[in-house]
Amino acid sequence: MKKFTILMLCIATLGLASCKKETVYQELRAKTYNFTINSNEWLRNSNGSYSVNKALSAIDGVTLDDEGVLVYFEHPNDPNGDIQLPYTFNYNAFSYKISNGGLRFDVQDTNNLTATVPPNYNTLVKVVIIPSDYAGN
Protein backbone atom coordinates (compact mmCIF):
# COMPACT_ATOMS: atom_id res chain seq x y z
CA MET A 1 0.00 0.00 0.00
CA LYS A 2 2.88 2.33 0.81
CA LYS A 3 4.48 1.67 -2.60
CA PHE A 4 1.17 2.35 -4.33
CA THR A 5 0.78 5.70 -2.53
CA ILE A 6 4.32 6.76 -3.44
CA LEU A 7 3.74 5.69 -7.05
CA MET A 8 0.50 7.73 -7.24
CA LEU A 9 2.25 10.73 -5.67
CA CYS A 10 5.05 10.53 -8.26
CA ILE A 11 2.56 10.30 -11.15
CA ALA A 12 0.60 13.28 -9.82
CA THR A 13 3.79 15.32 -9.38
CA LEU A 14 4.95 14.56 -12.92
CA GLY A 15 1.48 15.31 -14.28
CA LEU A 16 1.31 18.70 -12.59
CA ALA A 17 4.88 19.60 -13.48
CA SER A 18 4.18 19.07 -17.17
CA CYS A 19 1.29 21.62 -17.20
CA LYS A 20 2.17 24.68 -19.19
CA LYS A 21 0.78 28.08 -18.26
CA GLU A 22 0.01 30.17 -21.31
CA THR A 23 -0.14 33.94 -20.97
CA VAL A 24 -1.91 35.96 -23.64
CA TYR A 25 -0.82 39.57 -24.11
CA GLN A 26 -3.13 42.03 -25.78
CA GLU A 27 -1.20 44.67 -27.63
CA LEU A 28 -2.46 48.18 -27.04
CA ARG A 29 -2.08 50.24 -30.18
CA ALA A 30 -1.54 53.98 -30.45
CA LYS A 31 -3.59 55.87 -33.01
CA THR A 32 -2.33 58.83 -35.04
CA TYR A 33 -4.49 61.63 -36.45
CA ASN A 34 -3.26 64.21 -38.97
CA PHE A 35 -4.86 67.50 -39.94
CA THR A 36 -3.85 70.99 -41.03
CA ILE A 37 -4.21 74.33 -39.28
CA ASN A 38 -4.59 76.91 -42.05
CA SER A 39 -2.90 80.26 -41.45
CA ASN A 40 -6.27 82.08 -41.55
CA GLU A 41 -7.74 79.92 -38.72
CA TRP A 42 -5.78 81.61 -35.89
CA LEU A 43 -8.11 83.90 -33.91
CA ARG A 44 -6.85 86.73 -31.71
CA ASN A 45 -7.70 86.47 -28.00
CA SER A 46 -8.41 89.44 -25.75
CA ASN A 47 -4.94 89.11 -24.15
CA GLY A 48 -3.14 89.38 -27.53
CA SER A 49 -2.36 85.70 -28.05
CA TYR A 50 -3.87 83.60 -30.86
CA SER A 51 -5.77 80.30 -30.68
CA VAL A 52 -7.28 77.62 -32.89
CA ASN A 53 -9.82 75.02 -31.78
CA LYS A 54 -9.91 71.67 -33.58
CA ALA A 55 -12.48 68.95 -33.03
CA LEU A 56 -11.20 65.40 -32.56
CA SER A 57 -13.85 62.94 -31.39
CA ALA A 58 -11.19 60.37 -30.46
CA ILE A 59 -10.39 62.50 -27.41
CA ASP A 60 -13.02 61.50 -24.87
CA GLY A 61 -13.35 60.93 -21.15
CA VAL A 62 -11.19 57.79 -21.29
CA THR A 63 -8.46 59.74 -23.09
CA LEU A 64 -8.58 62.51 -20.51
CA ASP A 65 -8.54 60.09 -17.56
CA ASP A 66 -6.22 57.30 -18.63
CA GLU A 67 -4.48 57.74 -21.98
CA GLY A 68 -1.49 59.70 -23.19
CA VAL A 69 -1.59 62.34 -25.92
CA LEU A 70 1.41 63.58 -27.90
CA VAL A 71 1.12 66.52 -30.31
CA TYR A 72 3.54 67.50 -33.07
CA PHE A 73 3.68 70.36 -35.59
CA GLU A 74 5.50 70.12 -38.86
CA HIS A 75 8.71 72.08 -38.32
CA PRO A 76 8.41 75.55 -39.93
CA ASN A 77 11.87 75.32 -41.52
CA ASP A 78 11.91 71.61 -42.35
CA PRO A 79 8.86 69.98 -43.95
CA ASN A 80 10.53 66.59 -43.41
CA GLY A 81 10.65 67.01 -39.64
CA ASP A 82 8.22 67.39 -36.77
CA ILE A 83 8.58 69.23 -33.48
CA GLN A 84 6.71 68.24 -30.31
CA LEU A 85 4.54 70.77 -28.51
CA PRO A 86 5.04 72.80 -26.41
CA TYR A 87 7.94 74.55 -28.14
CA THR A 88 9.30 78.00 -28.91
CA PHE A 89 10.27 79.18 -32.38
CA ASN A 90 11.22 82.75 -33.43
CA TYR A 91 10.01 84.16 -30.10
CA ASN A 92 6.61 82.45 -30.48
CA ALA A 93 5.63 79.89 -27.83
CA PHE A 94 3.26 77.18 -29.11
CA SER A 95 1.20 75.08 -26.70
CA TYR A 96 -1.99 73.04 -26.61
CA LYS A 97 -4.78 71.95 -24.28
CA ILE A 98 -6.83 68.80 -24.70
CA SER A 99 -10.48 68.62 -23.74
CA ASN A 100 -13.36 66.28 -24.34
CA GLY A 101 -13.89 66.28 -28.12
CA GLY A 102 -10.87 68.24 -29.27
CA LEU A 103 -7.80 70.39 -28.82
CA ARG A 104 -7.01 74.07 -28.47
CA PHE A 105 -3.73 75.36 -29.87
CA ASP A 106 -2.23 78.62 -28.61
CA VAL A 107 0.61 80.84 -29.76
CA GLN A 108 2.01 83.85 -27.97
CA ASP A 109 5.06 86.08 -28.25
CA THR A 110 7.58 85.24 -25.52
CA ASN A 111 8.69 88.87 -25.09
CA ASN A 112 5.50 90.88 -25.50
CA LEU A 113 2.09 89.21 -25.49
CA THR A 114 0.44 92.06 -27.40
CA ALA A 115 3.04 91.75 -30.17
CA THR A 116 2.07 88.15 -30.97
CA VAL A 117 1.87 87.38 -34.68
CA PRO A 118 0.16 84.14 -35.74
CA PRO A 119 1.90 81.80 -38.19
CA ASN A 120 1.53 82.96 -41.80
CA TYR A 121 1.85 79.39 -43.08
CA ASN A 122 -0.31 76.27 -42.93
CA THR A 123 0.77 73.83 -40.23
CA LEU A 124 0.49 70.06 -40.46
CA VAL A 125 -0.50 68.65 -37.05
CA LYS A 126 0.04 65.10 -35.83
CA VAL A 127 -1.82 63.90 -32.72
CA VAL A 128 -0.89 60.52 -31.24
CA ILE A 129 -3.24 58.96 -28.69
CA ILE A 130 -1.62 56.20 -26.65
CA PRO A 131 -4.04 53.81 -24.93
CA SER A 132 -3.31 52.73 -21.39
CA ASP A 133 -4.94 50.51 -18.78
CA TYR A 134 -5.57 52.39 -15.54
CA ALA A 135 -3.45 50.81 -12.81
CA GLY A 136 -4.95 52.60 -9.80
CA ASN A 137 -3.28 54.71 -7.16
Side-chain angles (χ1 to χ4, degrees):
M1 185 68 150
K2 195 175 189 181
K3 287 182 182 181
F4 180 73
T5 306
I6 292 174
L7 179 64
M8 293 308 285
L9 185 60
C10 290
I11 291 172
T13 303
L14 287 175
L16 291 174
S18 65
C19 289
K20 181 180 175 186
K21 180 179 177 183
E22 196 170 314
T23 304
V24 177
Y25 294 96
Q26 181 179 359
E27 184 178 334
L28 299 175
R29 303 249 330 152
K31 295 203 183 311
T32 302
Y33 302 88
N34 294 317
F35 52 86
T36 300
I37 296 175
N38 296 312
S39 60
N40 63 352
E41 291 183 81
W42 293 97
L43 300 176
R44 189 172 181 87
N45 299 314
S46 60
N47 67 0
S49 66
Y50 284 82
S51 296
V52 172
N53 290 307
K54 288 289 192 177
L56 185 57
S57 62
I59 298 176
D60 57 14
V62 174
T63 304
L64 295 175
D65 291 342
D66 299 333
E67 299 177 330
V69 178
L70 304 173
V71 179
Y72 301 87
F73 276 5
E74 178 182 63
H75 196 284
N77 287 343
D78 182 6
N80 296 317
D82 293 335
I83 190 164
Q84 188 172 8
L85 273 68
Y87 78 96
T88 302
F89 182 77
N90 283 345
Y91 302 105
N92 279 332
F94 294 86
S95 60
Y96 70 97
K97 178 187 137 189
I98 61 171
S99 58
N100 202 341
L103 302 102
R104 174 186 166 128
F105 299 96
D106 297 299
V107 60
Q108 65 184 49
D109 189 286
T110 57
N111 294 324
N112 180 359
L113 191 60
T114 59
T116 301
V117 177
N120 60 357
Y121 49 86
N122 296 340
T123 305
L124 177 64
V125 180
K126 178 169 52 174
V127 177
V128 181
I129 299 176
I130 304 166
S132 176
D133 290 330
Y134 180 68
N137 294 332

